[in-house]
Amino acid sequence: MKTSEKTSINKIKFLIPALMLSLVLLLAESAMAQAPTKNKKVDKIPHAELKEAKVIARVTTNVQEIAPMRVKLNVLNPTGKTVRISILDYANLPVYQESFTGREYNKILNFTSTAAGRYMLRITGPKQVEIRRFAINSNFNRNLTPSPMENHNPAEVMAAIYQNEKNKIVLHVVNNTGKPISYVLRNSNQEVSYRGVIRAATFSKLFDFTELGDGNYSFEVQNQSQKAAYRTFALHTAYDRSFAWTDKRGRPLKAVGSSPISLRTNTLRTND
């Protein structure tokens, strides 16, 4: 053999094992890639489940002071069940109760004649209670207005009937007749509220009208059934009432989203 042929044969002998080794390594790598891995942890992503959210129907309440001592109450009831509306006084005694099952309730609550004090508005729905607290404040002034004095035969009986203090009347009499004279206080229906007899030469007395009801009154001094002195008085009471939302301690609350609720007043006056 020639030298060149021997060299070619040797190269072929060297390449064949190398090719076979490369083929074995390639097959082994492919097999490892396809074989399952027992120890390798595979994270599984769970399928998302869409659930319908529950919408809970709730009773909603809106209150608004629309005028002095008047409150507008609006209640929306999407539950279809009974809703109870109650107003309780400070001792938790009901002063007003009402129930409804409709979808909406509207009413104007008039507190003009409600006694002064602290109260609670309670709206009771299914598994739900809403409470609003408020206070009614009341102040009053009593005014006594006299008419001109009438005095007959002052030489015999000199009388003075005048207002000395608030709601108080003074009767002062000088009796020159030497005989008993009388005095009487009547209301507008001519009913006797008070009667007395004067035997002394001089007489003074203070009368308190505080406990008398509103109306017109007449004070008369009589000498032997004759009118010696006469004067009328008009007594009336002026009320100042206010309404305010409060907390548990009775302190006024600020209106939501606005300035504090002003204490409005409502004056009630009787006819003179």
Side-chain angles (χ1 to χ4, degrees), residues 14-30:
F14 177 77
L15 289 173
I16 290 175
L19 291 172
M20 293 181 66
L21 180 60
S22 299
L23 181 60
V24 170
L25 291 175
L26 183 61
L27 293 173
E29 186 178 352
S30 177

Side-chain angles (χ1 to χ4, degrees), residues 58 102 148 199 201 203 251:
R58 294 180 61 84
R199 292 182 172 85
F203 176 84
R251 297 174 297 192

Side-chain angles (χ1 to χ4, degrees), residues 2-266:
K2 292 181 180 181
T3 304
S4 59
E5 292 178 355
K6 289 182 179 179
T7 302
S8 299
I9 293 172
N10 290 332
K11 287 182 178 180
I12 293 172
K13 289 180 178 180
F14 177 77
L15 289 173
I16 290 175
L19 291 172
M20 293 181 66
L21 180 60
S22 299
L23 181 60
V24 170
L25 291 175
L26 183 61
L27 293 173
E29 186 178 352
S30 177
M32 290 179 64
Q34 294 179 3
T37 55
K38 294 182 179 180
N39 298 326
K40 188 175 180 181
K41 186 177 179 181
V42 179
D43 293 331
K44 293 184 178 180
I45 301 176
H47 295 290
E49 295 182 4
L50 296 178
K51 293 183 178 180
E52 184 179 354
K54 277 190 176 181
V55 179
I56 301 176
R58 294 180 61 84
V59 176
T60 56
T61 304
N62 180 46
V63 287
Q64 181 184 7
E65 187 181 2
I66 59 174
M69 308 306 298
R70 286 173 172 81
V71 173
K72 182 180 180 181
L73 173 62
N74 173 259
V75 182
L76 299 178
N77 177 24
T79 66
K81 297 182 180 179
T82 300
V83 175
R84 177 178 291 274
I85 299 169
S86 306
I87 297 178
L88 311 175
D89 62 13
Y90 192 60
N92 282 331
L93 299 176
V95 296
Y96 175 81
Q97 286 186 340
E98 188 174 356
S99 299
F100 79 102
T101 55
R103 295 188 61 85
E104 187 173 5
Y105 174 92
N106 286 289
K107 189 162 189 175
I108 295 177
L109 303 175
N110 188 349
F111 297 104
T112 302
S113 302
T114 305
R118 291 163 59 181
Y119 295 88
M120 177 173 61
L121 172 63
R122 185 169 64 189
I123 313 297
T124 306
K127 300 181 180 179
Q128 171 188 359
V129 177
E130 184 174 355
I131 292 176
R132 304 284 182 95
R133 292 178 172 84
F134 62 93
I136 294 176
N137 304 304
S138 180
N139 297 312
F140 66 91
N141 292 310
R142 306 204 76 195
N143 298 315
L144 191 63
T145 306
S147 68
M149 177 76 182
E150 295 182 20
N151 211 334
H152 304 275
N153 299 322
E156 296 181 359
V157 177
M158 294 184 290
I161 307 171
Y162 58 93
Q163 183 176 355
N164 183 36
E165 300 177 22
K166 189 175 184 179
N167 302 322
K168 293 181 180 179
I169 297 296
V170 173
L171 171 63
H172 181 74
V173 177
V174 176
N175 181 11
N176 297 320
T177 65
K179 299 178 181 179
I181 60 177
S182 62
Y183 60 90
V184 60
L185 175 66
R186 293 187 177 92
N187 60 20
S188 58
N189 296 324
Q190 297 302 308
E191 298 170 341
V192 176
S193 300
Y194 196 86
R195 185 190 296 273
V197 176
I198 301 172
R199 292 182 172 85
T202 60
F203 176 84
S204 291
K205 188 170 184 177
L206 180 68
F207 296 88
D208 191 347
F209 279 43
T210 303
E211 301 299 325
L212 294 178
D214 288 1
N216 296 325
Y217 294 86
S218 62
F219 218 126
E220 183 178 336
V221 178
Q222 296 176 341
N223 178 18
Q224 297 181 355
S225 300
Q226 300 295 319
K227 187 186 296 183
Y230 180 81
R231 197 167 195 179
T232 61
F233 297 87
L235 180 65
H236 69 269
T237 304
Y239 291 92
D240 292 327
R241 295 169 58 80
S242 62
F243 179 97
W245 298 109
T246 67
D247 60 12
K248 288 184 178 180
R249 297 184 180 181
R251 297 174 297 192
L253 292 177
K254 291 182 179 180
V256 178
S258 63
S259 58
I261 297 177
S262 60
L263 300 182
R264 309 183 199 176
T265 60
N266 183 31

